[in-house]
Amino acid sequence: MAVHASVCLKSLPRLARITSACLFVTLVAGCSLTNTADPTAGWTAQQLYTQAKSDMSGGSWTDARKNLQALEARYPFGVYAQQALIDEAYVDWKDDEPEQARSAIDRFMQQYPNHSGTDYMLYLKGMITFTPPSAILSNITRQDPSERDPKGLRESYEAFNELIKRYPDSRYTPDARKRAAWLVNTIAENEVHVAEYYYKRGAYVAAANRAQKVVTDFQGAPIVQKALYIMVISYNKLHLDKLRDDAKRVLDKNFPNSKYYKQGLDDPESAWNPLNWL
């Protein structure tokens, strides 16, 4: 027993050191948890929204998004939650996150179909694909927007067109009309680019059909002149003289002395600059 007691007594200092070390680690961990705690914990919806607006004003999109999402999660009902979702879509758009912005817009329109801010959300939905991040470099790469994948252009047009039809008196409608008109011309030009691509590769039937679609679907667009010319030269290659002559008659009637008879299919370089729309 004496020996056992002696061993226990000798072990006390070591045990005390271990206990102290454990206590120290616990205190450090506690401090660490305190330092990483959410500083907005306990904030009201108004406080979160005010901070998010301040972040947006300073261009701090990550912080703004975090506070808006916190507001939406903690206070899912009420005007602040609705406005937070609107602003979240805007923040995602400005932060070059088009998919997240589109998702926020879709959620908003599903949850609040009759909200007074729906016109703005439709306008923003059109803007998301009207000026994607890659378009900003078009003035450097000299790529014509009509040469891009038309999917985004069509989505943009559909959103603007829905805004125009549903909210003709909206403050956003006049600008949407201008953008929609530009998009119609650009989508038509994309179709003509495809028709020209087919023609230059000897796919004359495909070229004529694509050009015919432009003439039928985009009446009044300036690029219709080139579409008619592609029809004329495609039918000529196919030895379809009647169709060629019919297309030439329409071309000559609507565009006397068409420039394409002299210059062929090669147009001058486009002066389009997407920065003008930002």
Side-chain angles (χ1 to χ4, degrees), residues 12-86:
L12 283 176
R14 182 170 178 270
L15 290 172
R17 289 196 299 272
I18 293 173
T19 302
S20 298
C22 291
L23 180 60
F24 176 76
V25 170
T26 302
L27 289 173
V28 171
C31 292
S32 177
L33 289 172
T34 301
N35 290 337
T36 59
D38 185 354
T40 68
W43 283 19
T44 64
Q46 183 177 6
Q47 286 175 307
L48 283 167
Y49 186 70
T50 299
Q51 183 58 51
K53 292 296 286 185
S54 176
D55 295 331
M56 291 168 63
S57 297
S60 300
W61 308 123
T62 300
D63 291 336
R65 184 186 295 107
K66 180 178 66 177
N67 287 316
L68 290 169
Q69 290 175 344
L71 194 164
E72 189 184 357
R74 298 177 197 173
Y75 305 96
F77 307 105
V79 293
Y80 281 111
Q82 297 173 22
Q83 188 60 45
L85 196 49
I86 292 175

Side-chain angles (χ1 to χ4, degrees), residues 39 71 154 231 244:
L71 194 164
R154 291 182 184 277
M231 289 174 65
R244 178 201 61 199

Side-chain angles (χ1 to χ4, degrees), residues 174-209:
D175 188 63
R177 283 199 177 97
K178 292 192 296 183
R179 294 178 187 275
W182 181 86
L183 284 164
V184 166
N185 288 334
T186 305
I187 293 169
E189 289 174 4
N190 181 274
E191 293 292 322
V192 171
H193 275 301
V194 175
E196 182 177 350
Y197 174 87
Y198 286 144
Y199 178 83
K200 289 182 176 180
R201 283 154 183 76
Y204 304 123
V205 173
N209 289 341

Side-chain angles (χ1 to χ4, degrees), residues 258-269:
S258 173
K259 63 181 181 179
Y260 291 104
Y261 287 134
K262 293 182 179 180
Q263 73 179 43
L265 291 176
D266 295 327
D267 284 317
E269 186 176 343

Side-chain angles (χ1 to χ4, degrees), residues 98-123:
E99 294 303 324
Q100 289 184 221
R102 190 180 292 106
S103 176
I105 292 171
D106 290 342
R107 280 192 292 126
F108 176 87
M109 297 183 73
Q110 289 173 2
Q111 295 177 28
Y112 314 109
N114 300 315
H115 194 279
S116 60
T118 302
D119 60 337
Y120 171 72
M121 293 301 261
L122 284 171
Y123 179 76

